Amino acid sequence: MQDSGANPFIVILFFVARCIIPLFIMLGITYLLRRWGLLQEPPKPPKNWDGNQNGENKPINHNQGDALHDHA
């Protein structure tokens, strides 16, 4: 096989330029948007909210399905 001739230092610099710098740019933009008040924490859900997406906010019933599974 032929040696590629790529210096490991150059490869590390390209990695930083390709991966790490865009990550820092995105984190910086997020920080600025939160500082300016354009991004806020989502409100907390109500007490009896169980995460259903169908619009019903019923309390969680952990005994649901006992008739089918018969835990006797």
Side-chain angles (χ1 to χ4, degrees):
M1 288 182 74
Q2 287 183 335
D3 189 20
S4 66
N7 187 351
F9 183 71
I10 300 295
V11 172
I12 291 172
L13 284 178
F14 279 139
F15 172 78
V16 169
R18 182 93 187 243
C19 300
I20 304 298
I21 292 174
L23 176 67
F24 284 135
I25 290 172
M26 289 186 290
L27 289 174
I29 290 172
T30 303
Y31 172 76
L32 289 175
L33 290 175
R34 284 187 184 187
R35 187 169 178 168
W36 293 335
L38 299 174
L39 289 179
Q40 298 176 355
E41 295 293 326
K44 293 183 180 181
K47 282 185 178 180
N48 64 349
W49 187 73
D50 65 352
N52 272 344
Q53 297 297 322
N54 59 6
E56 298 177 13
N57 286 331
K58 294 186 228 173
I60 298 173
N61 183 3
H62 294 289
N63 294 327
Q64 200 173 18
D66 283 345
L68 292 174
H69 299 291
D70 193 26
H71 296 300

